[in-house]
Amino acid sequence: MRSLHQGRGLGEGATVAECLATAARQLAGALALPPREARLEAQILFAHALGVNRAWLIGHDRDVPTAAPVIEALLRRRLAGEPVAYLLGEREFYGRTFRVTPDVLIPRPDTELLVELALEHLPQQATRTLLDVGVGSGAVAVSLALERPLCRTCGVDLSAAALEVARANARGLQAEVEFLVGDGFNALSGRRFDLIVSNPPYIAASDPHLNQGDLRFEPRLALVAGSDGLDLIRRLVGEAPMHLETDGWLLLEHGWDQAGVVRDLLRGGGFASVFSAKDLAGHERVSGGHR
Ligand SMILES: C[S@@+](CC[C@H](N)C(=O)[O-])C[C@H]1O[C@@H](n2cnc3c(N)ncnc32)[C@H](O)[C@@H]1O
């Protein structure tokens, strides 16, 4: 990476404002970001490295920043494409901060729809049982457990490393969740739940987006599900009836163009009241039905 300020790198007298401007230019060029987004990313990375907030950066724009090697190292990794959430080690989801590592999917704002729909099926004082298949960072399971503390929440994931992150998040946010390592429902024989939610991997193995942006750095296990992306969804729809109480609901997040197929799978699997709901971008993103 070139020094942050032509001829004067960090620690060589460049001010916070000068370093931010140069970093923003480099980010815009390397990652094809619009200028405003590049500037925001530069501020976020500097603030993280310096242990301050963005307001401090604006108020101290004529200071010469300390921690130059830390800022340069973070910027170098971001310029190589590493997701901001992995560099910071955290991401906000449903109003709370979750720890994230490269062992887990970075929680997406779209997945908040799955949480909202689940909550609609869980009255405030409900004492129901919930299952989240594919917990990852724990974003969904921990959010539901905190929003509905009287419910009993269980989360499974095939990745033991992901479950470590989910456990740390549940501890840190003081959520009661039972975590199990398992492939689909196989750790849950004989157990039934009032509500099963899942944001499973749903990208087709040949999808070129896997080689772009943040997806390049996220676990393949969290993203890819067979040649059409529907392998795990098919299994979950097929096996969920054995793990749902009578009238229990299954809610599944899926790709923006998979709603029709998922609704057909649900109807074919004997689910009633099958529906799809739209995400912030207007795409049908979550489908569900009840037993
Ligand atoms: C798309 S991520 C969702 C993570 C988290 N729930 C979220 O919404 O941010 C899918 C998760 O499913 C897990 N997974 C993949 N295949 C699985 C399987 N057969 N059984 C259980 N979990 C699986 C992955 O390890 C990953 O953590």
Side-chain angles (χ1 to χ4, degrees):
M1 188 186 72
R2 290 202 321 277
S3 89
L4 276 171
H5 188 67
Q6 288 92 348
R8 285 194 306 168
L10 274 167
E12 295 170 28
T15 64
V16 166
E18 289 169 333
C19 291
L20 276 172
T22 309
R25 264 199 309 280
Q26 292 180 348
L27 287 164
L31 304 172
L33 297 177
R36 185 195 288 248
E37 208 176 307
R39 181 155 183 82
L40 178 64
E41 280 207 2
Q43 288 177 339
I44 289 170
L45 295 177
F46 274 54
H48 180 73
L50 295 169
V52 299
N53 58 27
R54 285 172 51 222
W56 185 96
L57 292 176
I58 293 161
H60 293 76
D61 63 348
R62 286 160 186 246
D63 289 13
V64 173
T66 54
V70 183
I71 297 177
E72 295 234 4
L74 267 186
L75 189 59
R76 191 174 303 116
R77 288 170 62 191
R78 182 62 188 134
L79 289 170
E82 267 189 73
V84 173
Y86 289 157
L87 297 178
L88 306 188
E90 63 185 37
R91 175 52 52 99
E92 194 186 308
F93 181 82
Y94 213 73
R96 301 182 179 90
T97 302
F98 285 80
R99 183 180 159 213
V100 296
T101 74
D103 287 319
V104 298
L105 184 97
I106 300 163
R108 308 290 202 267
D110 286 341
T111 303
E112 293 186 358
L113 174 64
L114 183 62
V115 173
E116 279 161 14
L117 292 169
L119 293 175
E120 283 175 17
H121 288 91
L122 300 167
Q124 273 290 342
Q125 299 306 315
T127 52
R128 309 265 163 85
T129 50
L130 322 179
L131 171 66
D132 177 13
V133 182
V135 280
S137 65
V140 174
V142 168
S143 299
L144 291 176
L146 289 171
E147 296 297 323
R148 294 292 184 270
L150 300 181
C151 293
R152 283 183 37 211
T153 305
C154 176
V156 297
D157 205 291
L158 192 49
S159 161
L163 281 172
E164 283 304 305
V165 178
R167 281 196 185 96
N169 278 320
R171 254 195 320 275
L173 291 166
Q174 299 184 314
E176 284 271 333
V177 182
E178 174 193 9
F179 290 109
L180 299 169
V181 182
D183 179 357
F185 295 110
N186 78 352
L188 298 157
S189 76
R191 289 182 64 178
R192 289 185 184 268
F193 301 85
D194 296 300
L195 176 65
I196 298 175
V197 297
S198 182
N199 172 19
Y202 52 69
I203 300 179
S206 59
D207 191 321
H209 292 101
L210 292 166
N211 302 316
Q212 296 167 17
D214 287 1
L215 295 188
R216 291 169 295 167
F217 294 84
E218 293 180 289
R220 278 293 185 269
L221 184 63
L223 300 171
V224 176
S227 59
D228 63 357
L230 291 164
D231 278 10
L232 188 53
I233 287 182
R234 270 191 213 94
R235 272 182 61 199
L236 296 180
V237 172
E239 296 173 26
M242 286 177 289
H243 298 280
L244 278 172
E245 299 285 3
T246 307
D247 281 339
W249 281 82
L250 171 65
L251 301 176
L252 296 169
E253 181 171 325
H254 47 69
W256 64 274
D257 56 352
Q258 293 171 331
V261 183
V262 175
R263 283 195 300 269
D264 287 347
L265 286 170
L266 286 163
R267 289 192 192 101
F271 285 85
S273 311
V274 171
F275 75 98
S276 297
K278 290 184 179 167
D279 65 16
L280 301 169
H283 298 127
E284 290 182 319
R285 179 63 64 183
V286 174
S287 296
H290 76 94
R291 245 189 113 222

